[in-house]
Each structure stands twice: as structure tokens, then as C-alpha cells.
Amino acid sequence: MYSRNRLFIGIAVKSPEGMKSLPGIHQVMARMADYARQNPKYDDPIILTDQKDPVTSDLIIKLLPEDLLLERPRITVYFCGHGAYSEGTEIWYLSRGRSHWRERVDVLAFRDVLTTYAPEQVTMFSDACQVPDSHPTKFSPILDEYSGSRTQTDYDTFRATCRGQPAFAAPNGEPLFSNLLTQALSAKPPRAAFDTIDLQERGRRVVTSQSLRTFIADKLPDAAALIGKEQYPDLTPTYIYPNNDYLDLGAELSGLGFGPVTSSSDAKPAPNVEDPRTRDAAHLHLILNASASDLRREFWENGAESARKFNVAEDLFVSVNGGGRDDTPIRLFVGDGQPRHSIDPANGFVRFALGATARQSTMTLQSGDLYIPLPQSAKSGPLAVQLLTGAGDGGLAPGAWSVAWYPTETPSQVSELNPMRLFEAFLKGTLPTGAIKSIAGDLSGMPHADPLLGVIAAHLLDRIGDIAAIRRLCRFFVQRADAVPFDIALLARLTMRWSHRGYRIDLPEVPRDERGDAAGLPDLVWQQAGAVAEVPVAGIVPLLRAGWSRLGTLTDPGFASRRFLELDEALTGAPIATLGGHAAGKRFLTLMQHLFEERK
């Protein structure tokens, strides 16, 4: 049995197949490894580099057995190499990642799997680009989840750059972010890296979550400017005293004019840093103005016109190739597996009147060899789906590219920050975490919750590891007498159990978040949320393709939707999860029907 010290996992991939070699990566990895070896709170680090042999998923699995990972006070992961942002998914490339999906790491799914091994804390240091790349469509969490008991896990996340942006290296080849990180964690860090409260009130030289964030946030833009580049890190520290240290060099030397040393029982906790849920919110309108494509704008407006015309909550409208549809029949399967055929067309949309079938939790749309699983909820208003079959679509991957729910009470209402613009910015990687403030405000003013807005908000909160806020978001859907979208329940890491026609979850009590209140966020992000049992879930698989690799991160052995993971190789490049090919589509329908029949 291994000790219960902290564990450091370092991964450096300098020269992945088919991609540009990145000089300087092995040098910074060597310094990070020295940091872990010389820190008495860590066991011997696990280091993987491609200096001699490729870094592969099999090697990672071999070097990270269950008993090594279990019940650590902290697991620290450092990655340096190529990365990208693929329409909602942050990825790292291992040595063969360009050509093999199992060698592309879904970063947040990897983090979630580590969480199943019951660490108290998980730190992710990521020095990789996050430039948009829609080419890869399938990713891997690498490890299998552990099915034992779970604890509450806190997260620190330090990314070299923001979504949609590159990360740069100095002229000597060393990545700018890692250079600063290794300075701060060295045996002789710059004074600016120390926590001022620890220095002044506790008399100790400590690099903490907060001081590391401040040091990198201050220094990295200047370092990039010196080489004529712009680079702004994405840093989210959440650890609090006394477990927020990364480097503790002991007592400060006397005679330097600092205040009296206080005992730990008298010391004040480190102050809150900027709430990441408000970061860059002031610039959101500029981001959204640059994010509205004609493709989605026309879909949204035409869908709104159809919703106004019929104003029936259970209707489904399908736009095929922008209204210039081909002759391929479109069918709809609800939970019982029986197909429904469309009725009268509406404003270039194919229309399905679902009626009582809306009481099912899921449905599947078929056009040719494309199959799109969709959540069902009569409370959210009529649903429109934008389908591109590959004809006249500008080379976009076939499948569903947008979904939209329209309120039945006020069908003419189109929010200034409408879901299409937010969704497009999310897919491009330009939507800041601060968009939570605007999204939550929009949701709060709606008579029924918009599932797409909720799913986008949940993914933004998941990026910073704010599980409590995602669970508050679930409570918001309950308050609107609506089902919780499957994607949100999945990211909230709540056990889903089948109960006649759909999943149910039990929401635990979530305490009030004083920081969110102080930051002026809408109530649904920070307010106390009471426990609620038997909450219905809309859907049986994620709506977004970005969520499919997360199906393997829930530890409950009774989670039936895990079986759908066998189909993720059939997902097309469309951002709304779309299965391509009749074999995969028919297999999905069979699994769906079995789910309903087995668990009645």
C-alpha cells in the first residue's frame, strides 16, 4: 500500500506524431519533477515524457494503478505539450493523439475520473494551446473510474491560456507559463510568489493557491509582450488555508520589518480572489457580437416564427439544410421505440406534434443514416433542431448543429443575449466564465428554464470545478417545475437511477455561497438550495457531443447509460450529439428500447 502523501503526475509530449515539435518542454518538466521530489509532502513523482518512447494511454494506465491513486490528500497533474479546444471539449494530445482518439485526453473527464479515487484536492496545471480545432470528434478520459466511496473534492486549475487562444514559448523554446510556474515552485522563488498574508501575519514563506495565481497573472502577459505576443492565463484557485500551499519554505528570516507572527489559530484566512464567475463579463457583449453567424441567426428567427404560429409546448420543428431540404424521410422515435412521422411543414421546418408522448424523457430524430438523441420536456416550450445532412452546408459535418427552445407564454421574446449567440461563442471557445452572470440573469427572468442555456452554464461552471453551483442550477429547474437536462445532472455528479420512463436524481442540500452574493451574481448561482428527492431528468445521453466522454465518470454501477459509450466512435463532428451510420443508430434505438423495457 502506498503512503497517503500528495501525488504528482507529470506528462510532457514534445513531438507528437504529425505535429510540430515543441523544444524546451523536457527542461521545464525536469524542473517540475525536481519540485515534487524535493517537496516532503509528495511521494516520488510519476513522470511521463517522450524523450525515449512515446507517451501513450496504455503507459499512463500502467503507471497509475488504483492503489497508487486512492485517497490522496492532493493529486497534482502537470501537462506540457500540444492541446486544443474542440467545440466544448478541452483536449491534450499524447504522442499518437492526432491519429488515434484514445490518445487524445478529454482534460475535464480525466479530472473527473481522478476524483472518483477520493482525493481531497485535484490540481490541474495545463501548459497547452486551446485554439479551436473541430477535426477531432472523439476523446478519452484515459483511466477507468473507481467505484468506491467518494469524498468532496476541491479543485485548483491553472491553464496557460484562455479558451480559443494559443500558448507561446520564449526564444529559448521554454513555454512562458511553465517558466513562470517553475520559478514560483523552485527552491528560491521570487519574493512576489510568496503569499503576503503568510509572510506578514504568520511569518512564513509560502507559495499558495492565491499567491501563485497572482504571480502568474501579473507576470505572464508581460513575458508574452516581450516577444511580441499576447497571452493571458486562465487561473482558478479554490483551496483555502491551511491546505492551500504549494511550497512551504518555513519561517521568514527575522529583521526584515514584517509584523508579528501569529499562531495558526489566530491567523486570518487568505482573502478571496476575484470570483471567476464574473471574470471578463464586462466584455461579453463584444464577444457575442462577433459570435452570431448567419447560419444560426436564421435558424433562431425562423424557429421563433414557427413557435409563434403554433405555440404548442409539445411541438418539435426540424430545419433541414436551412429549409432547402432533400427528399430524405425524417422520423422520430420516442421512448417506446415506435416511429412518429411528421405532419404539416411550418416555415421551412418539418413539424412533429408530440402531444402526450412528451411525457417520455427522451426521443431520437432520424434523417437518413443520422440519428440525434434529444431530451424531452413539455415544460420548456417547443423545440427546434437545425439539421445539416451534408448537402450545401459549406463542408460542415453532417448532424445537428443547433437546438432551440422557445417559451410558450411569450413566444415572440428573443433575449438580447439569445442562446444561439451564446452557444456559438461556447463552441468557439470565446465564451468567458463571466458569462455565467448574464446567463443566470437571463434564466432568472424566464417563466420556464431554457435547457440549452442551462447546459452552457453547467459546462462553464464545470470548467472551474464549481460543482455546488451546478447543483444549484439543478434546483433552479425544479423551481420551474421542469426536468433537469441530462448534461447538467451528469456534470453535477449525482447518481441517476431509472424510474419508469426516465432517470431520477436526489439533490443534496447546497449551502449559501457568500462570495457569489458579494460579487452581485444572480441568486440561482449562490443561494442556498434545499434537498429535493426524486427529481426527473430529461434525456438518457448528453445533448452535446462534448459530454459523451463523461458518461464513464459516474461511479454508480447501476448507471444504465454507461452502455451508450460503446457508440461514441460513431459520433459525427456536429456539436449536438449525432450518431452517423445505420448500424450505430439502430444499436442506439435497441439499447434505448431495452432501457425502457428492462426498467419499467
Side-chain angles (χ1 to χ4, degrees):
M1 175 61 93
Y2 293 91
S3 74
R4 295 304 93 188
N5 290 331
R6 296 174 182 177
L7 176 66
F8 180 91
I9 303 166
I11 305 171
V13 184
K14 175 183 177 181
S15 304
E17 292 180 1
M19 303 182 79
K20 180 182 178 181
S21 182
L22 302 172
I25 282 182
H26 293 154
Q27 293 93 306
V28 293
M29 173 54 80
R31 296 203 295 272
M32 287 297 293
D34 287 342
Y35 154 74
R37 291 190 185 99
Q38 295 166 11
N39 192 319
K41 293 189 176 182
Y42 283 91
D43 283 339
D44 287 341
I46 306 299
I47 305 298
L48 302 93
T49 75
D50 58 349
Q51 285 180 290
K52 294 182 179 179
D53 299 305
V55 176
T56 65
S57 57
D58 287 342
L59 181 60
I60 294 175
I61 293 168
K62 178 181 177 181
L63 295 181
L64 299 178
E66 286 184 356
D67 55 350
L68 176 70
L69 296 172
L70 274 173
E71 297 178 354
R72 296 281 183 170
R74 181 184 297 171
I75 297 176
T76 299
V77 179
Y78 168 78
F79 177 86
C80 193
H82 278 287
Y85 180 79
S86 181
E87 296 186 337
T89 304
E90 180 183 355
I91 58 177
W92 294 334
Y93 288 98
L94 302 183
S95 293
R96 300 188 179 112
R98 197 63 184 167
S99 56
H100 299 277
W101 71 266
R102 293 187 187 277
E103 309 303 311
R104 291 191 289 269
V105 184
D106 181 329
V107 178
L108 295 183
F110 181 50
R111 179 201 67 186
D112 285 358
V113 169
L114 289 175
T115 301
T116 68
Y117 291 84
E120 296 174 21
Q121 299 175 326
V122 173
T123 295
M124 305 292 283
F125 290 120
S126 177
D127 197 344
C129 291
Q130 292 194 62
V131 293
D133 186 352
S134 60
H135 171 71
T137 59
K138 184 168 168 52
F139 323 98
S140 171
I142 304 299
L143 300 175
D144 291 329
E145 74 281 359
Y146 184 72
S147 59
S149 60
R150 300 185 64 172
T151 60
Q152 177 63 44
T153 301
D154 295 321
Y155 304 101
D156 264 9
T157 308
F158 293 81
R159 297 178 175 91
T161 189
C162 298
R163 281 182 179 178
Q165 300 300 315
F168 296 102
N172 66 358
E174 289 194 1
L176 299 178
F177 172 82
S178 290
N179 182 281
L180 290 170
L181 179 63
T182 55
Q183 286 183 46
L185 301 180
S186 68
K188 295 182 178 180
R191 192 170 192 79
F194 289 134
D195 191 289
T196 55
I197 287 183
D198 276 293
L199 273 173
Q200 296 180 4
E201 298 190 8
R202 303 180 188 116
R204 300 188 66 81
R205 298 169 297 162
V206 182
V207 179
T208 65
S209 297
Q210 290 73 29
S211 69
L212 185 59
R213 187 257 181 198
T214 300
F215 177 74
I216 294 176
D218 287 348
K219 303 295 183 183
L220 184 55
D222 291 342
L226 289 175
I227 60 171
K229 303 293 185 181
E230 288 189 4
Q231 182 174 337
Y232 298 94
D234 183 358
L235 312 170
T236 308
T238 67
Y239 302 160
I240 60 174
Y241 180 81
N243 298 313
N244 63 338
D245 62 290
Y246 281 97
L247 183 69
D248 189 341
L249 296 180
E252 171 71 303
L253 298 176
S254 61
L256 295 183
F258 291 101
V261 176
T262 60
S263 67
S264 59
S265 60
D266 297 328
K268 299 176 182 177
N272 287 325
V273 296
E274 174 194 20
D275 190 322
R277 294 167 298 185
T278 64
R279 189 181 305 148
D280 298 327
H283 305 294
L284 182 59
H285 69 286
L286 297 176
I287 294 168
L288 293 179
N289 285 341
S291 301
S293 69
D294 291 340
L295 182 74
R296 289 195 170 94
R297 189 196 306 274
E298 292 175 6
F299 163 70
W300 173 265
E301 293 172 350
N302 291 337
E305 184 175 337
S306 296
R308 283 194 297 270
K309 177 179 179 181
F310 293 93
N311 199 23
V312 178
E314 294 84 4
D315 276 0
L316 169 68
F317 300 93
V318 184
S319 168
V320 183
N321 298 330
R325 58 166 301 190
D326 53 32
D327 295 327
T328 305
I330 298 179
R331 296 193 297 175
L332 186 73
F333 299 86
V334 294
D336 58 12
Q338 296 302 312
R340 268 68 171 171
H341 296 276
S342 61
I343 55 175
D344 56 306
N347 196 37
F349 285 69
V350 177
R351 177 179 171 233
F352 293 86
L354 302 179
T357 66
R359 290 194 295 269
Q360 304 279 2
S361 66
T362 190
M363 54 187 172
T364 304
L365 186 68
Q366 180 200 358
S367 175
D369 65 349
L370 300 175
Y371 296 76
I372 301 103
L374 297 167
Q376 251 188 296
S377 172
K379 294 289 186 180
S380 299
L383 167 63
V385 179
Q386 182 182 42
L387 179 62
L388 303 178
T389 63
D393 55 14
L396 297 175
W401 277 81
S402 303
V403 293
W405 280 265
Y406 298 94
T408 53
E409 287 84 353
T410 53
S412 62
Q413 175 186 346
V414 177
S415 168
E416 180 182 354
L417 302 179
N418 71 57
M420 291 301 96
R421 298 163 69 200
L422 288 162
F423 185 47
E424 187 143 348
F426 169 74
L427 295 175
K428 290 179 178 178
T430 59
L431 193 63
T433 311
I436 287 293
K437 186 170 185 177
S438 295
I439 294 173
D442 272 12
L443 283 171
S444 297
M446 294 179 177
H448 294 306
D450 184 314
L452 181 61
L453 283 181
V455 169
I456 294 171
H459 274 276
L460 293 176
L461 292 166
D462 176 66
R463 180 173 170 82
I464 60 175
D466 195 345
I467 308 305
I470 299 175
R471 293 177 176 181
R472 292 187 190 96
L473 189 59
C474 293
R475 186 71 169 84
F476 172 77
F477 278 83
V478 174
Q479 292 170 344
R480 293 298 195 272
D482 207 349
V484 175
F486 185 94
D487 303 60
I488 301 177
L490 184 65
L491 295 178
R493 297 174 207 169
L494 296 170
T495 297
M496 295 191 223
R497 61 185 181 279
W498 192 263
S499 178
H500 185 57
R501 295 180 182 268
Y503 282 114
R504 297 289 186 273
I505 55 176
D506 292 336
L507 296 179
E509 182 176 357
V510 184
R512 173 189 179 102
D513 181 354
E514 300 289 350
R515 184 180 63 167
D517 186 8
L521 290 168
D523 291 356
L524 73 88
V525 178
W526 60 265
Q527 65 186 350
Q528 179 179 355
V532 186
E534 294 293 319
V535 175
V537 175
I540 59 174
V541 291
L543 173 69
L544 301 189
R545 174 168 57 86
W548 270 67
S549 59
R550 310 295 278 277
L551 287 173
T553 63
L554 288 188
T555 60
D556 177 24
F559 181 46
S561 284
R562 195 189 313 273
R563 69 182 66 176
F564 292 111
L565 267 175
E566 70 180 64
L567 300 174
D568 60 359
E569 289 190 66
L571 291 171
T572 72
I576 304 299
T578 303
L579 296 168
H582 287 299
K586 291 178 180 178
R587 178 61 176 161
F588 178 85
L589 293 175
T590 299
L591 290 173
M592 180 179 72
Q593 191 168 0
H594 287 172
L595 180 61
F596 277 79
E597 290 176 350
E598 291 170 4
R599 299 171 180 256
K600 287 182 178 178

